[in-house]
Amino acid sequence: MNQNGTKNGENKNLLPSGLPRIESLEMRGITKRFPGVLANDRVNFEVKTGEIHALLGENGAGKSTLMKILYGLYQPNEGEILLNGQPIQINTPTDSLKYGIGMIHQHFMLVDTMTVAENVALGLPSSREPRMDLDIVSERIRDLSQKYGLQVDPDAVIGNLAVGERQRVEIVKALYRGAALLVLDEPTAVLTPQEVDDIFVILRQMAADGHALIFISHKLHEIFALTDRVSVLRDGRMVGTVNTADVDKAQLASMMVGREVLLERHRPPAERGEVRLKFDNVSADNDDGNPILKNISFEVHSGEIVGVAGVSGNGQRPLARTIMGLQAVESGKITLEDTDVTDLLPAELYKIGLSYIPEERMHDGVVKDFSVEENLILQDYVRRPFSNGIFLAFKQIAEHASQRIREFTVKTPTKDTAVKNLSGGNIQKVILARELSRKPRFLIAAQPTRGVDIGAIEYIHNQLLLERSKGLATLLISEDLDEVKALSDRIVVLFHGEIMGIVNSDEVTTEELGLMMAGERRLEPA
């Protein structure tokens, strides 16, 4: 070691990868306006070398806008960015990369038919144009992979890699392109618990080596497991920056929402009644004739919530669509109480007591140009009390809308406001209000809290548990394992369209669920 605390021959201004170190990056007084919206209001934010700094906030708080300014996708109306104390101008993503700033998006930016090396080299200059320098790229990938424990094969085809492996490729790609500061936007959204642990080991090593990391996540337990400091945005303003070790989950939630938030869900023992939904050896194929569901069998009783867990793309969406008659069943039978509903049309299913919270709320859940009032009667406008023959009963429709808006605390200027103008959480409340007000006997809730903020999550969870206590049978499909465990009485785990286990929620560990989600363990039904 020399007098500067570095190993002999080691440059303290360089990362182990040879990249220039970023000592600090500061965003000062950042303001960004859109028509009718103040997205960032004089925001100050700083990240330093060697730290993992969380950026936290509800949807619409301004996180994405702030990071898009840092990455050169937006230009601020006011404010400045300082790199190592010096003002810099970032007009494009190319500028951000020039300054050593990289970003890993929630949805992977990879070409499935290409190799790892080809994806990393894509768009970069080559000494052998128009051919790529794949041999040089591959050697560099192996070097980076070894330095950071990434275990990435440069010759592997992206389409053959697991989700966690693709995430590592994204990190290698950013490092290869010179990212000394890395922004990670919801990097764990589609990973198993074991894959999350692996990524966290890599991120901690990067920070220890001198990288600066900005970590965006809605999962509070990840914030506490990984980060050094947390900055919280609310309504476009910076509420504050705190050391992660100095606060708890309740304090962070309160900073995000501006009020106390109940994070724990009280789920009394289930009072199971009769079987409401039954899958009997159901199989289904995709449009190419490949199986997407394989001999699925399970039951959902009244008064219970059955969760479906699995990494994205392992059969959850086809499962919901088979029940709704939107995905053809190749073999087997689906029964709703005593009625065979296999391949029955959605309109018929609604008549016999089924309600559906769809995964894609803007595509399948609402008509975005319709008002809140109109969206609240989408399936039922042809029936009493909302119509009398061929005429709509406008008074009853208006009263119904006003009552649902109050009951479900939908934040909307008026009942006549177009639903597209509401926040994601309030759109989800409109859907929930419509589906539960129909007094269903069975509910499919597919990703009911995806993309909504912590306050709306609290409300939606409480409503699902309330309906459970009234005897509703619910099938909860979610990629949020914490949500599945908190709400479900039993959990069905899917891997490649096949059931790996049906377990009691209170008797299974997160690690066991992760192994089943990865296809590495199969458990007998509970």
Side-chain angles (χ1 to χ4, degrees), residues 41 133 175 200 213 248 287 353 368 379 410 434 461:
D41 185 5
D133 289 325
L175 291 173
F200 280 10
L213 304 175
D248 57 28
D287 293 338
K368 61 183 180 180
Q379 290 99 359
V410 179
R434 182 186 66 221
H461 284 181

Side-chain angles (χ1 to χ4, degrees), residues 15 58 137 141 274 288 295 385 389 418 438 466 470 479:
L15 298 167
E58 296 184 278
V137 173
I141 289 173
E274 74 278 9
D288 297 327
N295 299 316
R438 300 177 63 250
L466 176 63
K470 297 177 181 178
E479 291 164 15

Side-chain angles (χ1 to χ4, degrees), residues 127-144:
S127 63
R128 291 177 288 186
E129 296 286 1
R131 298 172 60 194
M132 295 178 177
D133 289 325
L134 291 182
D135 52 343
I136 299 173
V137 173
S138 295
E139 182 179 352
R140 178 70 173 145
I141 289 173
R142 291 189 181 96
D143 184 43
L144 289 170

Side-chain angles (χ1 to χ4, degrees), residues 64-85:
S64 295
T65 300
L66 190 67
M67 290 301 100
K68 285 178 179 178
I69 290 171
L70 179 60
Y71 197 56
L73 293 170
Y74 290 158
Q75 298 303 306
N77 298 107
E78 300 170 20
E80 60 180 348
I81 300 174
L82 290 84
L83 183 65
N84 298 335

Side-chain angles (χ1 to χ4, degrees), residues 433-477:
R434 182 186 66 221
E435 297 304 315
L436 294 183
S437 67
R438 300 177 63 250
K439 306 298 182 186
R441 297 181 61 74
F442 185 80
L443 173 69
I444 305 169
Q447 314 298 344
T449 61
R450 173 182 281 173
V452 306
D453 56 52
I454 195 167
I457 289 172
E458 176 192 36
Y459 184 84
I460 291 168
H461 284 181
N462 288 339
Q463 287 297 314
L464 292 177
L465 289 171
L466 176 63
E467 294 300 324
R468 167 186 177 267
S469 70
K470 297 177 181 178
L472 181 64
T474 301
L475 184 68
L476 170 67
I477 301 173

Side-chain angles (χ1 to χ4, degrees), residues 145-162:
S145 181
Q146 182 178 4
K147 286 183 186 299
Y148 293 102
L150 287 160
Q151 300 177 347
V152 171
D153 178 5
D155 299 321
V157 176
I158 294 295
N160 296 332
L161 299 181

Side-chain angles (χ1 to χ4, degrees), residues 255-271:
M255 288 174 71
M256 289 169 62
V257 181
R259 61 172 176 82
E260 184 181 358
V261 178
L262 297 177
L263 298 173
E264 300 298 325
R265 306 289 174 252
H266 176 60
R267 177 168 50 84
E271 297 183 9

